[in-house]
Amino acid sequence: ATLPAITWRFRVGQPRLLYVARDAAGHFQLYAANDPPRQLSQGKGEVWDYAPHPEGASIIYSVARDDEGADLWIVDRDGNDPRVLLRCPNASCTAPSWSSDGAWIAYERQDLSERTIGVSIGPVVPQIWLLDPASGQTQPLFEDAPTPGRAPAWSPLGQRLAFYDLSELAIQIVDLDTGEQQLFDSLAGVGSWDPEGERMVLPEVSFHNQLPSGELLVVAFATRSVRSLSAPGTLEETV
């Protein structure tokens, strides 16, 4: 028998640019580059950073408070229903990153410095935390062994999470499905994922005659192979 011809029609959403700029009152807000630009966040709190949902339906962003801390807010792509997703009393919650399936948000959480007679007694190192946006439950990435870290970045596919490990001065890759952890030395912070989430381009800094120079490396997680992308004679390259 001959099967009938089947035709699907669908419309692809237009790409949208997000950015942070000052509003009329001088506060940093989140905008979408429509025509004209649309302001997505409101209020006096400064927007520090943001991350769109993998499907583009919403954006999570951090908003500064008067006590030097920050909370995580969420708003839909058209600027409707802005609301607090996670309150962080006595802490600053920033640098959010969505997992590829939208089930988790990784973020950087740093307790506010303790003060004695109004004087700060020193900085508190940040850690990477996970947030379930559906339930609002949050927990450290490593509950048994807290690890100072910054700049979490989920892979485009799968459950790998990269962040800069401040205790090892290296990029740590954690596979939340298997529990596997890998470390790649770097002085220049987290790099950029490939589309399949199997490799990463990492910046590396070396010193020649006391002048820093940058180099780009590609690391493959399955084989732990490292390959340089830098052209001969290049003085500085970064992600």
Side-chain angles (χ1 to χ4, degrees):
T2 302
L3 295 177
I6 300 176
T7 302
W8 284 278
R9 290 186 175 90
F10 58 92
R11 179 176 296 175
V12 178
Q14 294 297 315
R16 304 179 71 187
L17 176 68
L18 296 173
Y19 63 96
V20 172
R22 293 187 185 274
D23 62 12
H27 304 298
F28 282 109
Q29 303 287 357
L30 180 65
Y31 288 85
N34 296 358
D35 187 17
R38 174 175 293 182
Q39 183 175 330
L40 304 181
S41 62
Q42 305 291 334
K44 296 180 180 180
E46 306 276 358
V47 173
W48 285 354
D49 42 37
Y50 58 89
H53 187 278
E55 297 177 355
S58 59
I59 305 105
I60 186 171
Y61 55 101
S62 61
V63 178
R65 302 190 308 266
D66 291 338
D67 65 353
E68 299 181 2
D71 300 317
L72 294 180
W73 285 62
I74 192 169
V75 65
D76 74 16
R77 60 177 285 129
D78 295 319
N80 300 317
D81 193 26
R83 64 193 185 279
V84 178
L85 183 63
L86 178 67
R87 294 194 183 277
C88 299
N90 302 315
S92 178
C93 295
T94 58
S97 176
W98 290 91
S99 62
S100 61
D101 58 4
W104 291 98
I105 296 167
Y107 65 97
E108 189 179 302
R109 188 183 189 110
Q110 184 171 5
D111 292 337
L112 300 183
S113 300
E114 297 182 7
R115 294 179 176 271
T116 301
I117 317 179
V119 178
S120 173
I121 63 174
V124 180
V125 294
Q127 296 180 16
I128 306 302
W129 281 52
L130 299 178
L131 168 66
D132 179 349
S135 67
Q137 296 297 312
T138 187
Q139 64 191 50
L141 176 61
F142 302 116
E143 292 192 86
D144 297 331
T147 302
R150 286 193 179 278
W154 288 96
S155 63
L157 296 175
Q159 293 292 298
R160 284 193 176 108
L161 176 65
F163 69 95
Y164 193 73
D165 188 324
L166 295 172
S167 60
E168 298 289 341
L169 297 182
I171 297 169
Q172 182 167 166
I173 313 294
V174 183
D175 191 321
L176 272 68
D177 283 334
T178 65
E180 181 184 8
Q181 297 173 239
Q182 294 178 299
L183 287 172
F184 297 91
D185 293 339
S186 175
L187 297 176
V190 174
S192 179
W193 289 96
D194 80 333
E196 286 78 32
E198 293 296 332
R199 298 181 301 168
M200 183 174 257
V201 177
L202 305 180
E204 177 62 352
V205 174
S206 58
F207 293 87
H208 302 284
N209 298 324
Q210 298 182 343
L211 293 175
S213 63
E215 181 182 15
L216 293 182
L217 305 175
V218 176
V219 299
F221 304 125
T223 61
R224 292 190 63 85
S225 63
V226 180
R227 177 171 59 90
S228 175
L229 287 180
S230 297
T234 299
L235 290 180
E236 182 173 1
E237 293 181 342
T238 186
V239 177

Coordinates of all heavy atoms in Angstrom, one line a residue, residues 158-213:
G158 N 22.8 17.2 27.7 CA 23.2 16.4 28.8 C 23.2 17.1 30.1 O 22.7 18.2 30.3
Q159 N 23.9 16.5 31.1 CA 23.9 17.0 32.5 C 25.3 17.4 32.9 O 25.6 17.3 34.1 CB 23.3 16.0 33.4 CG 21.8 15.8 33.2 CD 21.0 17.0 33.5 OE1 21.0 17.4 34.7 NE2 20.3 17.6 32.6
R160 N 26.2 17.9 32.0 CA 27.5 18.3 32.5 C 27.4 19.8 32.9 O 26.8 20.6 32.2 CB 28.5 18.1 31.4 CG 29.0 16.7 31.1 CD 30.2 16.7 30.3 NE 30.8 15.4 30.1 CZ 30.7 14.6 29.0 NH1 30.1 15.1 27.9 NH2 31.2 13.4 28.9
L161 N 28.1 20.1 34.0 CA 28.1 21.5 34.5 C 29.6 21.8 34.7 O 30.4 21.1 35.3 CB 27.4 21.6 35.8 CG 27.5 22.9 36.5 CD1 26.8 24.0 35.7 CD2 26.8 22.8 37.9
A162 N 30.0 23.0 34.1 CA 31.3 23.5 34.3 C 31.3 24.7 35.2 O 30.3 25.4 35.2 CB 31.9 23.9 32.9
F163 N 32.4 24.9 36.0 CA 32.5 26.1 36.8 C 34.0 26.2 37.1 O 34.8 25.3 37.0 CB 31.7 26.0 38.1 CG 32.2 25.0 39.1 CD1 33.0 25.3 40.1 CD2 31.7 23.7 39.0 CE1 33.5 24.4 41.1 CE2 32.2 22.7 40.0 CZ 33.0 23.1 41.0
Y164 N 34.4 27.4 37.6 CA 35.8 27.7 37.9 C 36.0 27.4 39.4 O 35.4 28.0 40.3 CB 36.2 29.1 37.6 CG 37.7 29.3 37.7 CD1 38.5 28.8 36.7 CD2 38.3 29.9 38.8 CE1 39.8 28.9 36.7 CE2 39.7 30.0 38.8 CZ 40.4 29.5 37.8 OH 41.8 29.7 37.9
D165 N 36.8 26.4 39.6 CA 37.1 25.9 41.0 C 38.2 26.8 41.6 O 39.3 26.7 41.2 CB 37.6 24.4 40.9 CG 37.7 23.8 42.3 OD1 38.1 24.5 43.2 OD2 37.4 22.6 42.4
L166 N 37.8 27.6 42.6 CA 38.7 28.6 43.2 C 39.8 27.9 44.0 O 40.8 28.5 44.3 CB 38.0 29.6 44.0 CG 37.0 30.5 43.2 CD1 36.2 31.4 44.1 CD2 37.8 31.4 42.2
S167 N 39.5 26.7 44.6 CA 40.5 26.0 45.4 C 41.5 25.3 44.6 O 42.7 25.2 45.0 CB 39.8 25.0 46.3 OG 39.1 24.0 45.5
E168 N 41.2 24.9 43.4 CA 42.2 24.2 42.5 C 42.7 25.1 41.4 O 43.7 24.7 40.7 CB 41.5 23.0 41.9 CG 41.0 21.9 42.8 CD 42.2 21.2 43.5 OE1 43.3 21.2 42.9 OE2 41.9 20.5 44.5
L169 N 42.2 26.3 41.3 CA 42.5 27.2 40.1 C 42.4 26.4 38.8 O 43.4 26.4 38.0 CB 43.9 27.8 40.3 CG 44.1 28.7 41.6 CD1 45.6 29.2 41.6 CD2 43.1 29.8 41.6
A170 N 41.3 25.8 38.6 CA 41.1 25.0 37.5 C 39.6 25.0 37.1 O 38.7 25.4 37.9 CB 41.5 23.6 37.7
I171 N 39.3 24.6 35.9 CA 37.9 24.5 35.5 C 37.5 23.0 35.8 O 38.1 22.1 35.4 CB 37.7 24.7 34.0 CG1 38.1 26.1 33.6 CG2 36.3 24.4 33.5 CD1 38.2 26.4 32.2
Q172 N 36.4 22.9 36.6 CA 35.9 21.6 37.0 C 34.7 21.3 36.2 O 33.7 22.1 36.0 CB 35.6 21.5 38.5 CG 35.1 20.2 38.9 CD 35.0 19.9 40.3 OE1 34.4 18.9 40.8 NE2 35.7 20.7 41.2
I173 N 34.6 20.1 35.6 CA 33.5 19.6 34.9 C 32.8 18.5 35.7 O 33.5 17.5 36.0 CB 33.9 19.0 33.5 CG1 34.8 20.0 32.8 CG2 32.6 18.7 32.7 CD1 34.2 21.3 32.4
V174 N 31.5 18.6 36.0 CA 30.8 17.6 36.8 C 29.7 17.1 36.0 O 28.9 17.8 35.4 CB 30.2 18.3 38.1 CG1 29.5 17.2 38.9 CG2 31.3 19.0 38.9
D175 N 29.7 15.7 35.9 CA 28.5 15.1 35.2 C 27.5 14.7 36.2 O 27.8 13.8 37.0 CB 29.1 13.9 34.4 CG 28.0 13.3 33.5 OD1 26.8 13.2 33.9 OD2 28.4 12.9 32.3
L176 N 26.4 15.3 36.3 CA 25.4 15.0 37.3 C 24.7 13.7 37.1 O 24.1 13.2 38.0 CB 24.4 16.2 37.4 CG 24.7 17.3 38.3 CD1 25.9 18.1 37.8 CD2 23.6 18.2 38.6
D177 N 24.8 13.1 35.9 CA 24.2 11.8 35.7 C 25.1 10.7 36.3 O 24.6 9.7 36.9 CB 24.0 11.5 34.2 CG 22.8 12.3 33.6 OD1 21.9 12.5 34.4 OD2 22.8 12.6 32.4
T178 N 26.4 10.8 36.1 CA 27.3 9.8 36.5 C 28.1 10.1 37.8 O 28.7 9.2 38.4 CB 28.3 9.5 35.4 OG1 29.2 10.6 35.2 CG2 27.6 9.1 34.1
G179 N 28.2 11.4 38.1 CA 29.0 11.8 39.3 C 30.4 12.0 38.9 O 31.2 12.4 39.8
E180 N 30.8 11.8 37.7 CA 32.2 12.0 37.3 C 32.6 13.4 37.4 O 31.9 14.3 37.0 CB 32.4 11.5 35.8 CG 33.9 11.6 35.4 CD 34.0 11.2 33.9 OE1 33.0 11.0 33.2 OE2 35.2 11.1 33.4
Q181 N 33.9 13.7 37.8 CA 34.4 15.0 37.9 C 35.8 15.0 37.2 O 36.6 14.1 37.3 CB 34.6 15.4 39.4 CG 33.3 15.5 40.2 CD 33.6 15.7 41.7 OE1 33.2 14.9 42.5 NE2 34.3 16.8 42.0
Q182 N 36.0 16.1 36.5 CA 37.2 16.3 35.7 C 37.7 17.7 36.0 O 36.9 18.6 36.1 CB 37.1 16.1 34.2 CG 36.7 14.6 33.9 CD 36.5 14.5 32.4 OE1 35.6 15.1 31.8 NE2 37.3 13.6 31.7
L183 N 39.1 17.9 36.1 CA 39.7 19.2 36.3 C 40.6 19.5 35.2 O 41.4 18.6 34.7 CB 40.4 19.2 37.7 CG 39.6 19.2 38.9 CD1 40.5 19.0 40.1 CD2 38.9 20.5 39.1
F184 N 40.6 20.7 34.7 CA 41.5 21.2 33.7 C 42.1 22.5 34.1 O 41.4 23.5 34.4 CB 40.7 21.4 32.3 CG 40.2 20.1 31.8 CD1 38.9 19.7 32.1 CD2 40.9 19.3 31.0 CE1 38.4 18.5 31.6 CE2 40.4 18.1 30.4 CZ 39.1 17.7 30.8
D185 N 43.4 22.5 34.3 CA 44.1 23.7 34.8 C 43.8 24.9 33.9 O 43.9 24.8 32.7 CB 45.6 23.5 34.9 CG 45.9 22.4 36.0 OD1 45.1 22.2 36.9 OD2 47.0 21.8 35.9
S186 N 43.5 26.1 34.5 CA 43.4 27.3 33.8 C 43.4 28.5 34.8 O 42.9 28.4 35.9 CB 42.0 27.3 33.1 OG 41.8 28.5 32.4
L187 N 44.1 29.5 34.3 CA 44.1 30.7 35.1 C 43.1 31.8 34.6 O 43.1 32.9 35.2 CB 45.5 31.3 35.1 CG 46.6 30.5 35.8 CD1 48.0 31.1 35.6 CD2 46.3 30.2 37.2
A188 N 42.4 31.5 33.5 CA 41.6 32.5 32.9 C 40.1 32.3 32.9 O 39.4 32.9 32.2 CB 42.1 32.6 31.4
G189 N 39.6 31.3 33.7 CA 38.2 31.2 33.9 C 37.6 30.1 32.9 O 38.3 29.5 32.2
V190 N 36.3 30.0 33.0 CA 35.5 29.0 32.2 C 35.5 29.4 30.8 O 35.4 30.6 30.4 CB 34.1 28.9 32.8 CG1 33.2 28.0 31.9 CG2 34.1 28.4 34.2
G191 N 35.5 28.4 29.9 CA 35.5 28.6 28.5 C 34.1 28.5 27.9 O 33.1 28.9 28.5
S192 N 34.1 27.9 26.7 CA 32.8 27.8 25.9 C 32.6 26.4 25.4 O 33.5 25.7 24.9 CB 32.9 28.8 24.7 OG 31.7 28.7 23.9
W193 N 31.3 25.9 25.6 CA 31.0 24.6 25.2 C 30.8 24.4 23.7 O 30.5 25.4 23.0 CB 29.6 24.2 25.9 CG 29.7 24.0 27.3 CD1 29.3 24.8 28.3 CD2 30.0 22.7 28.0 NE1 29.5 24.3 29.5 CE2 29.9 23.0 29.4 CE3 30.4 21.5 27.6 CZ2 30.2 22.0 30.3 CZ3 30.7 20.5 28.5 CH2 30.6 20.8 29.9
D194 N 31.0 23.2 23.2 CA 30.7 22.9 21.8 C 29.2 22.5 21.8 O 28.6 22.2 22.9 CB 31.6 21.8 21.3 CG 31.1 20.4 21.7 OD1 30.5 20.3 22.8 OD2 31.4 19.4 20.9
P195 N 28.5 22.5 20.7 CA 27.1 22.3 20.6 C 26.6 20.9 21.2 O 25.5 20.8 21.7 CB 26.7 22.3 19.1 CG 27.8 23.2 18.6 CD 29.0 22.9 19.3
E196 N 27.5 19.9 21.2 CA 27.2 18.6 21.7 C 27.5 18.4 23.1 O 27.1 17.4 23.7 CB 27.9 17.5 20.9 CG 27.3 17.2 19.5 CD 27.8 18.3 18.5 OE1 28.9 18.8 18.7 OE2 27.0 18.7 17.6
G197 N 28.2 19.3 23.7 CA 28.5 19.2 25.1 C 29.6 18.2 25.4 O 29.7 17.7 26.6
E198 N 30.4 17.8 24.4 CA 31.5 16.8 24.6 C 32.8 17.4 24.6 O 33.8 16.8 25.0 CB 31.4 15.8 23.4 CG 30.2 14.9 23.4 CD 30.1 14.0 24.7 OE1 31.1 13.7 25.2 OE2 28.9 13.7 25.1
R199 N 33.0 18.7 24.2 CA 34.2 19.4 24.2 C 34.0 20.8 24.7 O 32.9 21.3 24.8 CB 34.8 19.4 22.8 CG 35.2 18.0 22.2 CD 35.8 18.2 20.8 NE 34.9 18.9 19.9 CZ 35.3 19.3 18.7 NH1 36.5 19.2 18.3 NH2 34.4 19.9 17.9
M200 N 35.1 21.4 25.1 CA 35.1 22.8 25.5 C 36.3 23.5 25.1 O 37.4 23.0 25.1 CB 35.0 22.8 27.0 CG 34.8 24.2 27.6 SD 34.5 24.2 29.4 CE 32.7 24.6 29.4
V201 N 36.1 24.8 24.7 CA 37.3 25.6 24.3 C 37.6 26.4 25.6 O 36.8 27.1 26.2 CB 37.0 26.6 23.2 CG1 38.1 27.6 23.0 CG2 36.6 25.9 21.9
L202 N 38.9 26.2 26.1 CA 39.3 26.8 27.3 C 40.4 27.9 27.1 O 41.3 27.7 26.2 CB 39.9 25.8 28.3 CG 39.0 24.6 28.6 CD1 39.8 23.7 29.5 CD2 37.7 25.0 29.2
P203 N 40.3 29.0 27.8 CA 41.4 30.0 27.7 C 42.5 29.6 28.6 O 42.3 29.0 29.7 CB 40.7 31.3 28.2 CG 39.7 30.8 29.1 CD 39.2 29.5 28.6
E204 N 43.7 29.8 28.2 CA 44.9 29.5 29.1 C 45.8 30.6 29.0 O 46.0 31.2 28.0 CB 45.6 28.2 28.7 CG 46.8 27.8 29.4 CD 46.5 27.6 30.9 OE1 45.4 27.8 31.4 OE2 47.5 27.2 31.6
V205 N 46.4 31.0 30.2 CA 47.3 32.1 30.2 C 48.7 31.6 30.5 O 49.0 30.8 31.4 CB 46.9 33.1 31.3 CG1 48.0 34.2 31.4 CG2 45.6 33.7 31.0
S206 N 49.7 32.1 29.7 CA 51.1 31.8 30.0 C 51.9 33.1 30.1 O 51.4 34.1 29.6 CB 51.7 30.8 28.9 OG 51.6 31.5 27.6
F207 N 53.1 33.0 30.6 CA 53.9 34.2 30.8 C 55.2 34.1 30.1 O 55.9 33.1 30.3 CB 54.1 34.5 32.3 CG 52.8 34.8 33.0 CD1 52.0 33.8 33.5 CD2 52.4 36.2 33.2 CE1 50.8 34.1 34.2 CE2 51.2 36.5 33.8 CZ 50.4 35.5 34.3
H208 N 55.5 35.1 29.3 CA 56.8 35.1 28.6 C 57.4 36.5 28.8 O 56.9 37.5 28.5 CB 56.6 34.9 27.1 CG 55.9 33.6 26.7 ND1 56.6 32.4 26.7 CD2 54.7 33.4 26.3 CE1 55.7 31.5 26.4 NE2 54.6 32.0 26.1
N209 N 58.6 36.4 29.5 CA 59.3 37.7 29.9 C 58.4 38.6 30.7 O 58.3 39.8 30.5 CB 59.8 38.4 28.6 CG 60.8 37.6 27.8 OD1 61.6 36.9 28.4 ND2 60.7 37.7 26.5
Q210 N 57.6 37.9 31.6 CA 56.7 38.6 32.5 C 55.5 39.3 31.8 O 54.8 40.0 32.5 CB 57.5 39.6 33.4 CG 58.5 38.9 34.2 CD 59.3 39.9 35.1 OE1 59.2 41.1 34.9 NE2 60.0 39.4 36.1
L211 N 55.3 39.0 30.5 CA 54.1 39.6 29.9 C 53.1 38.4 29.6 O 53.5 37.4 29.0 CB 54.5 40.2 28.5 CG 55.3 41.5 28.6 CD1 55.8 42.0 27.3 CD2 54.6 42.6 29.4
P212 N 51.9 38.5 30.0 CA 50.9 37.4 29.8 C 50.5 37.3 28.4 O 50.4 38.3 27.7 CB 49.7 37.9 30.7 CG 49.8 39.3 30.8 CD 51.3 39.7 30.8
S213 N 50.3 36.1 27.9 CA 49.8 35.8 26.6 C 48.7 34.8 26.7 O 48.8 33.9 27.6 CB 50.9 35.4 25.6 OG 51.4 34.1 26.1

